Amino acid sequence: MQRRPLLVPLAVAVLSTASVPVASAGQNAPAVATRDAVHAATRVTSAPAPGVTLTSLTYGHPDANDFWTVQVNLPQRPDGPLAGATLALGPRDTARRVAEALRTAGFTARVEEVTTPAYADRRAGVLGWTVRTGRYTDEAGATALVAQLKAAGFTARTRYTAQDGTDDEAPQRVHVLRVDLAAFGGRLEAEHGPALKGTEKLTDLIGATGAVAGINGQWFYNSAPGGLYVKDGRLLGSATQGRAGIRLEGGGRSFAVDTFTARVTVTAGGETAEVDGVNRLPGEIWNCGGVGGDLPTERPQHDLKCTDPGELVRFTPEWGAPPAGPGAEAVLDAGGRVTAVHTTRGAAVPPGGSTLQAIGDSAAWLLRTARVGATLTFDERVRDGAGRQVTLGPDTTILQVGPSLVRAGRVAVNAVADGIVREGADQSFTYDWTVRANPRSMIGRDAEGRLLLVVADGRRPGVSEGLSIDGAARLMRSLGAREALNLDGGGSSVLATAADGIVNRPSDATGERSLGTGLLLLPR
């Protein structure tokens, strides 16, 4: 096959120059073809530190049948207006109606079926139907067609067919940091900036901590990490109940992919109440998966904001300045003793202490039960997927992201339970985020106990298209992962070393994105 160079900012040696496509594999099929492709791909390797190997892989190839096209949105109701339509896909009859309207307006139209592979908790099947028109060799032609469609009363966007997530031979550039912690002598730790409320670039975190390398970590919302976040045994972030994550002990020497729940209660004035969240804005539950009657659901739904008008939320010193607003709050010292009770929110957190904020009907409860001089008692319990309580020791780290990708050496994507397959009829998010190709970041551990920090570039037509979630899982298994988890991706995907800076090509036009948390490889 044609030899293709790998362009990465590294002073390294080329070990192999064969470029081989990745073959398709089913949910439980052997990964031999994929593994062979990864092993035979163009690869460039360096050693940022003893026990640490960085390998950048190029595989796949452009297909002459790939082209730019235009997706025409569908209305939410079968008989709804076409102007301002929002759905990327929908029922077949709705798609046919939109296609006929396009033809009547003088455009061509194709109705295409969109399917999903099998996931651990969902069978393979049809996700919906989408409508497309036009075929172009570059995006400029598709962009011009979008403007024509808008003038004719349609809503549309450009698409590149190689990023549909179904082509295992699409071009890819993948960067793999493989870490033998015994030889390295250091540790893998989750880190955030000076405060949880605020984002930091990975390269700045690496510079500030003296890390050898790092990768992006959790999702972030309202400029703060989203999902269960335990650092040094301290619960710093609310759980998305039942979502996947990684549990690290001993600086990563113990590594487990699991699902987690967390429940926090507070006892005040002889009464016990559930604390809805820790270190997040009261009333806003991003990714859903909360407790206490959140709407529209308490089940995880990735990138969806659920709400609850009557919440208790605890803030620790790591957060920074707590949000201000109406409601009530109790200010607590390091021993949990109430030093002040306020009828508004926004007081600073005392060193070693916390504040408990309340909104809606929870404010009345807090004002009735919390008294200056009294002690409030918190009970925090984290449980794994088997319902066992997780002991939070001083070196325990839990980072909830998801979905799981590989468990016990098998592809195991918990798509429904993790909320990356949306509830309800609108499956546009599932199509765009889960099924289609995007930049992805992943973490795993291989059979020899080595850590894998992996980034696949995406949104680079003809260079690196990115991966579907299923494709990310099969890639990690092909790299030898026995356990693997998906991290934040898209424009957040970044892998960097202290020596060489950013290894991959972040997809944002502005370059490296600021993050909520990062996973850093620290030398000691």
Side-chain angles (χ1 to χ4, degrees):
M1 295 187 178
Q2 182 182 5
R3 181 175 298 182
R4 303 168 61 245
L6 178 64
L7 304 176
V8 290
L10 296 172
V12 292
V14 177
L15 301 185
S16 171
T17 55
S19 178
V20 178
V22 173
S24 178
Q27 185 74 4
N28 294 312
V32 175
T34 305
R35 186 179 299 115
D36 288 346
V38 169
H39 285 176
T42 302
R43 55 181 60 209
V44 181
T45 303
S46 67
V52 181
T53 302
L54 174 64
T55 304
S56 294
L57 305 169
T58 297
Y59 59 88
H61 56 82
D63 190 324
N65 293 321
D66 291 331
F67 58 92
W68 284 95
T69 189
V70 173
Q71 168 202 297
V72 181
N73 286 359
L74 312 184
Q76 292 190 1
R77 301 190 319 274
D79 60 347
L82 302 186
T86 59
L87 305 189
L89 75 171
R92 179 162 45 186
D93 287 348
T94 305
R96 286 174 172 169
R97 176 195 163 214
V98 171
E100 184 58 34
L102 283 168
R103 296 183 186 110
T104 301
F107 300 95
T108 61
R110 308 184 305 275
V111 175
E112 298 180 1
E113 182 182 81
V114 175
T115 62
T116 63
Y119 300 116
D121 54 1
R122 189 181 193 272
R123 293 181 179 178
V126 176
L127 188 66
W129 284 263
T130 191
V131 176
R132 288 176 169 179
T133 180
R135 181 186 181 109
Y136 301 93
T137 58
D138 57 36
E139 190 175 14
T143 300
L145 179 57
V146 168
Q148 295 174 35
L149 289 163
K150 181 178 179 181
F154 298 93
T155 304
R157 59 170 295 181
T158 62
R159 295 284 200 187
Y160 188 56
T161 58
Q163 294 172 13
D164 285 344
T166 56
D167 184 3
D168 284 321
E169 298 185 1
Q172 304 294 349
R173 291 189 177 176
V174 175
H175 313 276
V176 183
L177 198 71
R178 197 179 296 261
V179 183
D180 180 343
L181 286 172
F184 174 58
R187 66 193 191 277
L188 183 71
E189 297 286 353
E191 295 289 348
H192 55 270
L196 285 172
K197 176 63 173 176
T199 57
E200 300 289 330
K201 291 183 177 179
L202 179 67
T203 50
D204 290 338
L205 287 174
I206 289 174
T209 60
V212 170
I215 193 171
N216 60 289
Q218 288 173 292
W219 329 110
F220 50 99
Y221 304 93
N222 297 318
S223 298
L228 179 63
Y229 180 29
V230 175
K231 179 175 170 56
D232 301 328
R234 286 175 54 80
L235 199 160
L236 300 182
S238 304
T240 305
Q241 307 293 349
R243 194 163 199 184
I246 51 169
R247 177 186 174 190
L248 307 175
E249 305 277 357
R253 287 161 178 80
S254 174
F255 176 102
V257 174
D258 209 332
T259 57
F260 297 95
T261 59
R263 293 295 174 110
V264 181
T265 59
V266 59
T267 300
E271 298 183 28
T272 298
E274 190 155 44
V275 177
D276 298 88
V278 177
N279 289 329
R280 66 162 172 80
L281 297 189
E284 296 187 9
I285 308 95
W286 276 101
N287 293 333
C288 301
V291 296
D294 303 342
L295 295 173
T297 180
E298 290 186 359
R299 290 183 290 273
Q301 293 287 277
H302 183 58
D303 266 357
L304 181 68
K305 182 175 75 173
C306 286
T307 59
D308 184 345
E311 287 200 313
L312 289 171
V313 175
R314 189 185 191 190
F315 290 91
T316 69
E318 290 84 355
W319 171 266
E329 69 184 2
V331 180
L332 315 174
D333 66 15
R337 186 177 65 88
V338 179
T339 61
V341 177
H342 301 140
T343 56
T344 58
R345 299 178 294 114
V349 180
S354 64
T355 64
L356 184 62
Q357 291 196 358
I359 61 171
D361 55 11
S362 291
W365 180 87
L366 187 63
L367 292 172
R368 178 170 55 80
T369 57
R371 294 287 183 267
V372 173
T375 298
L376 271 58
T377 303
F378 292 89
D379 182 61
E380 300 177 341
R381 296 177 186 266
V382 176
R383 298 189 182 277
D384 62 18
R388 297 169 300 211
Q389 185 168 341
V390 177
T391 300
L392 303 183
D395 67 345
T396 301
T397 292
I398 299 176
L399 212 64
Q400 197 177 39
V401 198
S404 63
L405 299 175
V406 180
R407 303 289 298 274
R410 299 170 71 87
V411 170
V413 178
N414 55 329
V416 176
D418 221 289
I420 64 168
V421 172
R422 281 279 178 87
E423 298 176 355
D426 182 1
Q427 292 298 315
S428 297
F429 168 84
T430 308
Y431 177 46
D432 285 335
W433 194 93
T434 307
V435 175
R436 286 183 55 80
N438 289 285
R440 305 285 182 186
S441 296
M442 298 142 279
I443 184 171
R445 182 178 63 175
D446 67 16
E448 297 180 37
R450 296 172 299 184
L451 297 175
L452 298 168
L453 307 180
V454 181
V455 165
D457 283 343
R459 301 173 187 163
R460 301 179 65 192
V463 178
S464 189
E465 309 299 352
L467 298 168
S468 67
I469 283 292
D470 178 67
R474 289 186 286 115
L475 170 68
M476 290 301 288
R477 185 178 62 171
S478 298
L479 292 171
R482 298 288 299 171
E483 305 285 327
L485 179 80
N486 184 67
L487 301 173
D488 189 7
S492 297
S493 284
V494 60
L495 183 68
T497 69
D500 298 294
I502 298 172
V503 174
N504 70 307
R505 176 81 172 269
S507 65
D508 282 1
T510 53
E512 182 184 9
R513 181 183 289 182
S514 290
L515 309 171
T517 56
L519 284 160
L520 303 184
L521 193 61
L522 300 169
R524 59 186 184 277

